[in-house]
Amino acid sequence: MILQIRFHVECSWRSTSTMGLSPVAGHPAVAVFREPRGGRSIPVLGTRVDAEAKRTARVLAGLATHAGPVERTLALRQAAAAAGELVAALSALAPAVAGEGLPAESTSQSFFRVREEELSDQQAALHGVLVIHRGLEDLCEAPLSGADLALEVAGMRQSVLDLTGAAPGASSSSPAERSSLPC
C-alpha cells in the first residue's frame, strides 16, 4: 500500500468510499490535500493532540524497519496504536466530516464518490491521521523491504508533524537525522 498525503492549494476533503463504508464508520476513505502553509499559521490543536502527535512521531522514527518479520509487525502494531491514540485525541475536539452527506459537484464526482469541502486544521489532521492509522494497520501484513518500509514510515511521520503542527523534539528525530547533525 502506498500512502500519499499531498499538499495542495486549499484544505480539501475528498472521499472515494468503497464497499459502502461510511466515513464515520471507522474506515473513512479520505485523502487530505494541503499546500505548504504560505502565510497560514501552524495548527494549534491543544496540548493533548500535541503530546500524542509527538509520541506518534517518536514511535514512527524509532520503528525497526529492517528487523525480522515478527519484530517489524510488533513495531508496526505499536505505531498503529500510537496513531490510534492521536485519532482519539483529535476526535475529542470534533468528529470526522461525513462526506457522504456532501453534494457532488459533477457527474464524475458522483460516479467516483468524490467530494470536496473546506476543512479546519483539526478536521484535516483527523482525516489525515485516520489515513495514516489505516496505512500502519495495512503495513503490518505487507511484504515490503526494509528500505520501502522506511520510506513509508518516514512519510507518515512527516505528515503527522505537518498536519498537527507538532514540532519534533530532540528525542523524536530518527538515527539518520541525528547522525547528519553537525557535532
Side-chain angles (χ1 to χ4, degrees), residues 11-33 96-119 123 127-128 130-131 134:
C11 178
S12 301
W13 180 89
R14 293 192 170 129
S15 172
T16 55
S17 299
T18 57
M19 299 186 293
L21 295 175
S22 167
V24 292
H27 294 17
V30 170
V32 176
F33 298 89
V97 174
E100 299 299 323
L102 298 173
E105 295 178 11
S106 68
T107 304
S108 177
Q109 281 190 355
S110 179
F111 180 80
F112 290 106
R113 299 176 72 184
V114 173
R115 304 293 187 269
E116 295 185 36
E117 180 70 20
E118 293 293 319
L119 295 177
Q123 292 167 332
H127 284 285
L130 281 166
V131 171
R134 285 191 316 277

